[in-house]
Amino acid sequence: MLEKLNQIQGAALEALDSVADEAALEAWRVTHLGRSSALMEVFSGLGGLSREQRPAVGQKANQVKNALEAALAERSGTLRAASLKRSLEGERLDVTLPGRRIPMGRLHPDSQTMRELYRIFGEMGFQIFRSHEVESDEYNYQLLNFPVGHPARDMQDTYFVEAEGRGDNPIVLRTHTSPGQIHAMRHFVAGNPENPPPVRIVLPGVCYRYEQITNRHETQFEQIEGLAVGPGITFGDLKGTLADFARRMFGQETRTRFRASYFPFTEPSAEFDVECFLCAGKGCTVCKGSGWLEIGGCGMVHPVVLQNGGYDPQRYTGFAFGLGPQRMTMLRHRIEDIRYFYQNDLRFLEQF
Amino acid sequence: MKVPISWLKEFVDIDVPIPELAYQMTLAGLEVEQIHYVGLPMSGTLAQMGASGHARKADAKISGFEWDREKIVVAEVSEVMPHPNADRLVLCKLNDGQQEHIVLTGAPNLFAFKGKGPLPKPLKVAYAMEGAQIYDGHAEGAQLVTLKRAKIRGVESYSMACSEKELGISDEHEGIILFDDDAPLGAALADYIGDAVLEVSILPSFARCASMLGVAREVAAILGKPLRTPEVSVTAEGEPFEAVIEITRPELNPRFVLGLVRGITLRPSPYRVQLRLKLAGMRPINNVVDATNYAMLESGQPLHAFDYDVLAGRAGGTAGKLKIITRTARAGEKLTTLDDVERILDEKTVLVCDAAGALSIAGVMGGLESEISEKTTNILLEGAAWNFINIRKTAQAQNLPSEASYRFSRGVHPAMAERGVYLGLELMRRWAGGVVARGLIDNYPLPPVDPTVEVTPADVKRWLGIELSAAQIAEALVRLEFKVALDGETVRATTPDHRLDIGPGITGVADLVEEVARIYGYDNLPETRMADELPLQVGNPLLDKEERLRDLLVYLGLQEVKNYRLTTPEREARRLRPDTPADDKPYLRLTNPISSDKAVMRHSVLASVLENAEWNARFRARLALFEIGPIFLGSEDPGGLPDEFQRLAIVLCGPRSLPSWQPADTAAMDFYDLKGILDGLFDGLHLPAVRHEPVAHPGFHPGKCARVLAGERQIGVFGELHPLVREGYDWPVAAAGTPILAADLDLDALLEQMPSLYATAPVPEYPPVLEDLALVVNEDLPGERVAELIRQTGGRVVAEVRLFDVYRGEKVGKGRKSLAYSITYQAPDKTLTDRDVAGIRTRILRRLEQELGAVLRS
């Protein structure tokens, strides 16, 4: 009997070797482990065996059953793995074909640069103050220490708006964001005329110059201006603030340079240059070999302007600076033509 | 302004390389834009200096070239001989100081000497030998060439006598340079006349530097060198002259000075004078005009030379009665200026006149009649001071920019008038051989007050953040020629009488602090972080909301654009049907538009975005654009400032999905795509109670246009463009039939409705019950009312009402439509039973039937 069980096991395992798919495996299971299989017959014949034979045969039969079931499980695993492998191989994609794009929106590059500036200056405590684009000559010029007829006005070609009876105070398109300096100071003074609070703001916005449009000059452009007023603001603070700004905007190693200049509403006045971040100051076509890039104008707020804003120049000092966000965008992205900004050609805008 | 370095060196010793000088000048406010080398060595164009060890490169553009000291020298021509084979060439017998050469040239200014035998007085020329580098005289622009041996018409040539163009002095190539007789034979040309010209940009506050002496004074102060101020000494040996000067408006003409030279001979100036003028950017004319220009360039004082005899003639021949009057013009008064243009003057124009009438436009241009001519022998020389604003206006009104008006319109100190006239007289004496009359006629009714300003170390500390002693402050100011008195800690500084830019009082303090900073060096000032108290931080909530809205629109797949605010009413009218009456709100119109398509400030942001869509439709089938920006409306108050309102415009067109190699939804976007974007936007902004109503609008399709309301506030309109509006734009053929969707929204209203805070609901814990209801209603009933009523009636138990089908057809009958809703019932506090839901459903259906006539579709 034991011999017969050995034969059953041997025959079953031999037959399993030739099983090639799940269906054959199921047939094999029915044949060798099914109710009417030879093995099951041994189990059902156990009752007819002698008391002495029964334990040995029973034990052996169980061993055979376990062995066959283990072999079945193993075979089943192998077959499933092979079948999965076959089906996966048939589902191979060309992963180099393009993906399915979802329509994507983008901010205009001006908005992107402005946000970066808001963030950098915001973290230094400069809050955003906005004012109108159409201004009076008084705010655009006179209160900023550009008297009527002053030659400094030649530095900023102005658009005038048709309006009757305004004499020496015509309506103009603001040539800079600086009228906001007066609006802001007066706003803060109104809250506490005796003891006006310190000011630390940036004034962003669109400005206009009466100028032919070329690849380098725009008649409309973005500007952002900073203003800090307080009892102890110095030119050193101005240099430090702009040096901090330059490191954050253009890279941690960026050096800055200040050149004496002239603006009617600041004194001392300076031009603010940063070391060319494209060539690290070695000289390249963008910085025209000088190693420096002109970024903006700045200076200490002129006492007359403080006075016009309601801040006593004997008690307060302040600094102001003006930057061209579009120029920064142009430098950082190697844009050769400033006209792209308002042309709104998607072939340009979609690159940001 | 062009500043030859040789001219500067007359007044100050310069011992730094030229690029380093340019760098230091630039840092101190005299920006050097270009360095043009005219023979001087170009070495040291990159001076490695500075504490940082960093390159201090001149930012200036570099041009010109260095003359080879061995190969370009002063030579003399002793005879000019005909060329054997060419009429237009001559052969020169030339001595370069070492040996004789035969040099071939075609210079027309030598033809007069041809075949005259040995010249009585040799001609001094600039001689370039074989192997020398010079500019190609015949090439366009500046191109260096090396002289090589060649045969020209049978005569060997290996060197040449140079023109100014060949040496980079000017564009002149008509003839060769003929030097003054005292030119040193054999000397290296670079040693004799080598130069470098700095192109300096003069800021309005640096008007005092619009002269060689002015720049030299700054350079001396920057370099810490003494300035050699020229002694104005004139040799005046002639009889004094008489004249009366009547100044009617001293505030416009604070000073007027006259001098006289008799017996001059007009001829060209010495070559070195001409060279100076050319390098400084002026054209030599004759010795008298050159003297006035030279004196102006050197001192900064513009001068005007009259033909004295013409004036005497006008005064009736009795020269003693000469009277000069300065006054403003009568409206419409005429004067023919020396450019032979009859000019019509206004009442602001100041004139220099005599008893017979106007002679010249003060400070701007002389008159034709009293101009220097070939017959002139006696010169009356004017040096005056004028109001700079008045001169600026006149020069602009007459469109007459000149070297004189350039200086006068920036301000020339009246003290300069006398110095300028003396210098001019002396130069005429030297160059034109006249005799200067003793004494000047000087009317000086309004001398300016040169401010005395008190500045202390505390001021410097307060403004600049550095500690300087009173003595250090004084030292910096003395370098700029302030007269300084120290009184303890106070520096009392009196402004020198060549500058007008120092103000009184606290303005003066700021002015002096700037001067101290410039001399101390901006580079040397510290970089500090503000120690002042940080102001109250309040942020800018309105801008935050605007940026949030921008983000939402970008999330919704829209591309932001930004446009010129300048447009024309005609461009903007395209957004409306052609039969729409013109915009009734007046436009803000520019008095000086730069171009005809940018004449007014816009009324519509949508008009701008539609133009962007029109442009981009040529490159992109699918467009989804938005712009946020202002529109400008004239103020109600006449002459008042205009109102600026913020608008949001959206334009959408083209296929719903991007084109793909796989199946995609290529159907054209329609009204509901735009509405979906707006729904998403309003949802993201958490606007409460948004409603839509059909509306008639002159830009939109009458059946596909809605207005949006939030509460009672109108937010804007949107829809499909009216076919007639669509036709007004130039769409590509491919876009034919594609609807153009647009929204024109009031940003101010939107942001006003946007809550700064909003609450959220907890995630439901109890299971929902889903149910579909199809309701048949009249065709003209707005669907929104059905959904609204379901929500209202269901209260908080109706969690969602979603329309999933609209059906029209026989099964529901004519004039009716079926709206199928998927409704989610869900209670926050329990599991709803079928009985609960049935109760709510019954209430909903009853109200729908009673109020809207809706019937459940079976």
Side-chain angles (χ1 to χ4, degrees):
Chain A
M1 204 54 167
L2 294 174
E3 183 55 27
K4 187 180 174 193
L5 279 167
N6 277 336
Q7 280 172 13
I8 287 171
Q9 181 172 354
L13 291 180
E14 192 186 327
L16 189 59
D17 277 346
S18 56
V19 166
D21 55 32
E22 303 259 344
L25 188 64
E26 178 58 16
W28 179 89
R29 190 192 63 77
V30 171
T31 310
H32 299 283
L33 284 166
R35 209 171 290 162
S36 51
S37 62
L39 180 60
M40 287 306 145
E41 276 170 21
V42 172
F43 277 106
S44 34
L46 280 178
L49 293 180
S50 68
R51 190 179 297 256
E52 295 76 30
Q53 271 182 316
R54 208 181 294 159
V57 172
Q59 194 182 359
K60 178 68 180 175
N62 271 322
Q63 282 171 1
V64 169
K65 183 174 176 239
N66 288 342
L68 293 188
E69 277 174 353
L72 171 69
E74 191 198 332
R75 191 70 190 164
S76 167
T78 312
L79 286 177
R80 224 172 311 140
S83 135
L84 182 63
K85 185 156 176 266
R86 265 197 313 280
S87 89
L88 289 182
E89 269 169 5
E91 292 166 9
R92 210 169 275 277
L93 296 182
D94 179 351
V95 297
T96 65
L97 293 182
R100 215 176 268 125
R101 293 290 293 259
I102 291 168
M104 179 171 155
R106 289 174 181 83
L107 289 175
H108 189 279
D110 282 352
S111 295
Q112 297 189 25
T113 303
M114 277 299 192
R115 283 189 175 185
E116 201 167 342
L117 296 168
Y118 293 161
R119 185 172 51 80
I120 294 171
F121 286 117
E123 287 170 19
M124 295 189 211
F126 287 87
Q127 301 183 76
I128 299 157
F129 188 99
R130 296 192 289 180
S131 63
H132 278 188
E133 295 177 15
V134 181
E135 274 289 357
S136 63
D137 186 273
E138 183 188 12
Y139 274 83
N140 193 70
Y141 285 126
Q142 295 164 34
L143 293 171
L144 293 167
N145 200 30
F146 290 78
V148 173
H150 194 273
R153 292 185 176 214
D154 288 349
M155 296 163 83
Q156 302 187 0
D157 290 316
T158 314
Y159 277 118
F160 295 94
V161 173
E162 285 180 7
E164 292 297 314
R166 293 188 57 97
D168 273 342
N169 189 22
I171 297 176
V172 301
L173 305 189
R174 66 176 176 191
T175 56
H176 46 196
T177 44
S178 313
Q181 290 191 19
I182 303 289
H183 289 299
M185 283 192 278
R186 290 185 171 182
H187 165 80
F188 291 119
V189 165
N192 190 351
E194 289 308 306
N195 226 357
V199 179
R200 206 175 294 183
I201 53 172
V202 282
L203 307 134
V206 165
C207 305
Y208 306 82
R209 296 276 167 92
Y210 174 72
E211 199 162 351
Q212 287 299 339
I213 302 171
T214 68
N215 62 337
R216 290 279 146 198
H217 295 102
E218 253 299 355
T219 202
Q220 174 181 321
F221 56 95
E222 293 275 351
Q223 196 175 55
I224 188 166
E225 178 153 333
L227 175 70
V229 178
I233 302 285
T234 69
F235 195 92
D237 292 344
L238 169 63
K239 282 186 72 176
T241 299
L242 288 177
D244 281 342
F245 158 73
R247 281 186 285 269
R248 294 207 49 195
M249 189 78 188
F250 304 114
Q252 295 179 348
E253 304 302 321
T254 306
R255 294 166 202 265
T256 49
R257 183 178 76 169
F258 294 79
R259 286 183 280 123
S261 190
Y262 170 72
F263 307 104
F265 44 107
T266 52
E267 186 160 32
S269 298
E271 293 282 352
F272 163 53
D273 302 339
V274 303
E275 194 173 42
C276 181
F277 47 83
L278 298 168
C279 64
K282 290 183 195 73
C284 65
T285 52
V286 176
C287 61
K288 300 189 187 74
S290 74
W292 293 100
L293 299 168
E294 286 186 34
I295 295 297
C298 59
M300 297 300 286
V301 182
H302 196 283
V304 166
V305 176
L306 284 175
Q307 188 84 58
N308 290 337
Y311 281 78
D312 178 359
Q314 304 285 358
R315 285 173 61 201
Y316 294 89
T317 51
F319 67 65
F321 57 83
L323 306 168
Q326 287 164 335
R327 172 158 166 78
M328 295 185 224
T329 309
M330 289 175 78
L331 290 170
R332 297 212 299 184
H333 301 292
R334 308 284 194 103
I335 300 164
E336 299 286 335
D337 194 334
I338 196 171
R339 289 171 292 200
Y340 285 167
F341 287 93
Y342 298 127
Q343 222 162 43
N344 293 306
D345 191 310
L346 289 173
R347 294 169 297 180
F348 172 68
L349 297 179
E350 285 172 357
Q351 296 183 56
F352 290 87
Chain B
M1 190 177 63
K2 290 182 167 149
V3 181
I5 208 103
S6 65
W7 212 334
L8 283 187
K9 285 181 172 173
E10 287 190 10
F11 308 118
V12 58
D13 291 328
I14 294 168
D15 54 6
V16 296
I18 290 167
E20 171 66 14
L21 173 70
Y23 185 88
Q24 291 202 30
M25 287 171 69
T26 298
L27 248 56
L30 284 166
E31 187 185 351
V32 177
E33 294 176 332
Q34 186 171 357
I35 305 173
H36 181 67
Y37 287 89
V38 186
L40 280 187
M42 295 175 80
S43 61
T45 44
L46 211 165
Q48 298 284 337
M49 291 183 72
S52 63
H54 225 62
R56 288 163 62 110
K57 288 172 222 165
D59 298 17
K61 201 176 129 201
I62 307 290
S63 62
F65 73 103
E66 174 179 346
W67 299 337
D68 186 324
R69 297 186 69 261
E70 302 294 324
K71 296 198 171 92
I72 302 178
V73 299
V74 178
E76 61 182 28
V77 173
S78 54
E79 189 174 352
V80 181
M81 300 164 294
H83 188 286
N85 306 320
D87 284 348
R88 310 190 65 167
L89 295 174
V90 291
L91 301 176
C92 301
K93 192 181 284 180
L94 177 145
N95 180 350
D96 66 4
Q98 306 283 332
Q99 61 184 101
E100 282 221 332
H101 305 271
I102 297 296
V103 176
L104 186 129
T105 172
N109 58 342
L110 290 188
F111 288 2
F113 304 100
K114 181 163 82 171
K116 298 272 167 72
L119 301 173
K121 203 169 65 177
L123 304 168
K124 293 283 176 60
V125 299
Y127 177 59
M129 302 174 197
E130 184 177 4
Q133 273 208 323
I134 58 169
Y135 281 148
D136 183 344
H138 299 285
E140 276 286 308
Q143 288 181 28
L144 280 176
V145 289
T146 304
L147 286 182
K148 293 193 184 101
R149 202 167 277 266
K151 262 202 173 149
I152 296 174
R153 297 273 185 125
V155 176
E156 180 145 90
S157 167
Y158 51 86
S159 61
M160 62 167 54
C162 300
S163 68
E164 290 186 346
K165 182 173 181 184
E166 283 157 343
L167 293 171
I169 292 171
S170 72
D171 290 334
E172 178 62 54
H173 191 55
E174 265 298 291
I176 60 167
I177 303 173
L178 297 178
F179 289 127
D180 304 328
D181 295 338
D182 60 359
L185 178 63
L189 193 67
D191 294 344
Y192 178 45
I193 59 161
D195 218 325
V197 181
L198 308 180
E199 175 90 53
V200 182
S201 152
I202 305 288
L203 294 163
S205 59
F206 284 75
R208 63 184 184 282
C209 293
S211 67
M212 303 305 152
L213 191 54
V215 173
R217 188 181 286 115
E218 287 293 319
V219 167
I222 295 163
L223 298 178
K225 301 275 180 192
L227 180 75
R228 289 189 291 276
T229 317
E231 281 297 313
V232 184
S233 64
V234 59
T235 306
E237 294 165 335
E239 283 299 305
F241 70 110
E242 281 179 47
V244 174
I245 300 165
E246 184 184 317
I247 295 173
T248 58
R249 301 278 298 274
E251 77 282 8
L252 297 178
N253 177 203
R255 189 176 194 181
F256 198 98
V257 179
L258 285 172
L260 183 70
V261 199
R262 297 188 182 92
I264 57 96
T265 309
L266 277 188
R267 56 171 177 259
S269 300
Y271 181 74
R272 294 195 66 179
V273 171
Q274 296 191 29
L275 176 64
R276 276 271 167 91
L277 292 172
K278 283 180 184 173
L279 293 182
M282 291 193 81
R283 201 162 51 89
I285 310 286
N286 58 46
N287 48 7
V288 168
V289 175
D290 291 355
T292 62
N293 285 334
Y294 194 100
M296 172 184 71
L297 288 171
E298 179 158 314
S299 69
Q301 171 67 48
L303 301 171
H304 185 69
F306 293 102
D307 184 324
Y308 179 71
D309 297 312
V310 171
L311 266 58
R314 283 165 60 108
T318 45
K321 293 275 194 277
L322 181 59
K323 185 176 183 184
I324 297 289
I325 305 147
T326 68
R327 60 166 171 85
T328 50
R330 289 177 288 274
E333 191 170 351
K334 288 173 187 162
L335 173 68
T336 304
T337 44
L338 53 79
D339 52 0
D340 207 4
V341 175
E342 187 185 67
R343 298 187 181 265
I344 299 161
L345 309 167
D346 62 27
E347 289 160 301
K348 285 178 186 146
T349 311
V350 180
L351 296 175
V352 177
C353 313
D354 61 6
L359 296 170
S360 69
I361 302 178
V364 177
M365 192 176 255
L368 187 63
E369 188 186 348
S370 55
E371 192 198 2
I372 306 300
S373 72
E374 285 161 18
K375 287 176 265 172
T376 305
T377 55
N378 302 318
I379 304 286
L380 187 68
L381 187 62
E382 166 204 320
W386 309 105
N387 175 289
F388 69 101
I389 290 174
N390 177 276
I391 298 293
R392 175 174 176 262
K393 284 184 175 158
T394 301
Q396 284 177 347
Q398 294 292 343
N399 191 22
L400 268 179
S402 67
E403 291 283 341
S405 68
Y406 172 85
R407 287 170 175 80
F408 279 132
S409 64
R410 281 163 178 75
V412 178
H413 196 291
M416 299 303 300
E418 184 186 13
R419 294 169 211 167
V421 170
Y422 273 136
L423 181 57
L425 292 172
E426 175 63 13
L427 296 178
M428 284 183 199
R429 189 190 67 78
R430 283 190 221 157
W431 300 340
V435 177
V436 177
R438 283 193 298 277
L440 304 178
I441 312 290
D442 183 358
N443 189 350
Y444 197 177
L446 197 62
V449 178
D450 296 318
T452 296
V453 180
E454 291 185 352
V455 59
T456 65
D459 294 324
V460 170
K461 169 89 177 150
R462 198 162 84 92
W463 255 294
L464 302 180
I466 51 169
E467 308 269 1
L468 290 185
S469 68
Q472 285 173 303
I473 295 167
E475 200 263 320
L477 294 174
V478 164
R479 272 159 73 170
L480 289 165
E481 298 191 352
F482 284 83
K483 289 184 204 67
V484 168
L486 273 176
D487 179 4
E489 282 291 273
T490 301
V491 180
R492 193 168 293 121
T494 303
T495 309
D497 63 0
H498 57 256
R499 60 192 292 176
L500 295 165
D501 62 311
I502 305 296
I506 187 138
T507 295
V509 179
D511 292 334
L512 291 198
V513 167
E514 178 171 74
E515 295 306 277
V516 170
R518 287 196 312 114
I519 299 303
Y520 184 80
Y522 278 27
D523 262 6
N524 299 320
L525 293 170
E527 281 179 11
T528 50
R529 219 148 273 122
M530 285 181 275
D532 263 16
E533 188 191 347
L534 189 67
L536 193 70
Q537 298 285 293
V538 291
N540 189 326
L542 195 63
L543 179 66
D544 292 344
K545 283 183 173 180
E546 186 183 309
E547 294 295 339
R548 170 73 187 146
L549 180 130
R550 260 198 189 88
D551 277 340
L552 284 168
L553 291 165
V554 167
Y555 300 160
L556 291 162
L558 302 179
Q559 166 70 51
E560 187 184 24
V561 293
K562 281 186 194 263
N563 282 284
Y564 292 110
R565 277 81 147 126
L566 289 165
T567 182
T568 63
E570 294 71 32
R571 282 170 60 184
E572 292 217 312
R574 289 204 299 163
R575 77 189 191 279
L576 303 174
R577 266 192 339 253
D579 59 347
T580 313
D583 210 327
D584 57 348
K585 296 215 174 54
Y587 274 98
L588 254 66
R589 220 166 260 284
L590 299 182
T591 55
N592 55 337
I594 201 90
S595 59
S596 56
D597 67 335
K598 294 187 176 62
V600 304
M601 298 298 276
R602 69 181 176 188
H603 275 179
S604 167
V605 176
L606 178 57
S608 305
V609 185
L610 282 169
E611 289 183 345
N612 301 147
E614 180 184 35
W615 170 262
N616 282 295
R618 299 193 278 163
F619 323 113
R620 294 285 185 274
R622 184 185 191 282
L623 297 171
L625 309 174
F626 80 96
E627 178 172 5
I628 289 173
I631 59 165
F632 302 82
L633 300 177
S635 165
E636 303 290 311
D637 148 37
L641 285 178
D643 292 318
E644 295 176 23
F645 299 110
Q646 298 291 320
R647 290 281 185 272
L648 160 64
I650 298 174
V651 172
L652 215 59
C653 73
R656 199 157 287 136
S657 306
L658 295 173
S660 173
W661 55 278
Q662 286 181 311
D665 187 352
T666 53
M669 289 188 281
D670 62 22
F671 179 90
Y672 293 107
D673 289 279
L674 178 55
K675 186 157 190 250
I677 285 174
L678 293 178
D679 288 345
L681 174 67
F682 300 151
D683 209 31
L685 295 175
H686 301 279
L687 292 198
V690 175
R691 288 185 295 125
H692 301 83
E693 286 176 358
V695 71
H697 184 284
F700 292 95
H701 187 300
K704 301 176 181 177
C705 176
R707 66 180 186 137
V708 189
L709 297 115
E712 288 311 306
R713 184 84 192 254
Q714 174 158 330
I715 300 290
V717 295
F718 71 94
E720 184 179 325
L721 279 198
H722 194 286
L724 295 177
V725 173
R726 192 185 189 291
E727 262 175 31
Y729 290 84
D730 183 18
W731 304 107
V733 180
T738 314
I740 312 293
L741 293 322
D744 188 355
L745 307 178
D746 179 340
L747 187 78
D748 298 316
L750 255 180
L751 299 185
E752 190 183 292
Q753 294 294 317
M754 178 181 173
S756 43
L757 285 177
Y758 56 88
T760 61
V763 175
E765 282 180 43
Y766 298 92
V769 176
L770 303 177
E771 184 177 61
D772 292 346
L773 290 181
L775 300 157
V776 178
V777 295
N778 280 340
E779 177 63 65
D780 58 3
L781 182 75
E784 195 170 59
R785 294 193 53 196
V786 176
E788 196 44 49
L789 198 66
I790 295 171
R791 280 192 203 96
Q792 220 182 67
T793 313
R796 58 180 192 158
V797 172
V798 171
E800 195 187 342
V801 181
R802 185 173 59 81
L803 181 73
F804 70 90
D805 187 41
V806 178
Y807 172 78
R808 293 180 181 84
E810 283 173 25
K811 290 179 187 164
V812 295
K814 213 168 164 51
R816 306 273 282 168
K817 64 187 171 189
S818 159
L819 304 172
Y821 291 94
S822 169
I823 299 174
T824 306
Y825 302 95
Q826 195 163 36
D829 50 358
K830 65 170 191 168
T831 303
L832 292 173
T833 63
D834 286 351
R835 269 191 64 187
D836 294 334
V837 171
I840 298 160
R841 183 198 309 118
T842 309
R843 279 207 306 279
I844 289 173
L845 290 174
R846 193 184 307 133
R847 274 194 81 187
L848 282 171
E849 186 172 359
Q850 284 171 356
E851 296 181 24
L852 304 176
V855 185
L856 190 64
R857 188 175 161 201
S858 44

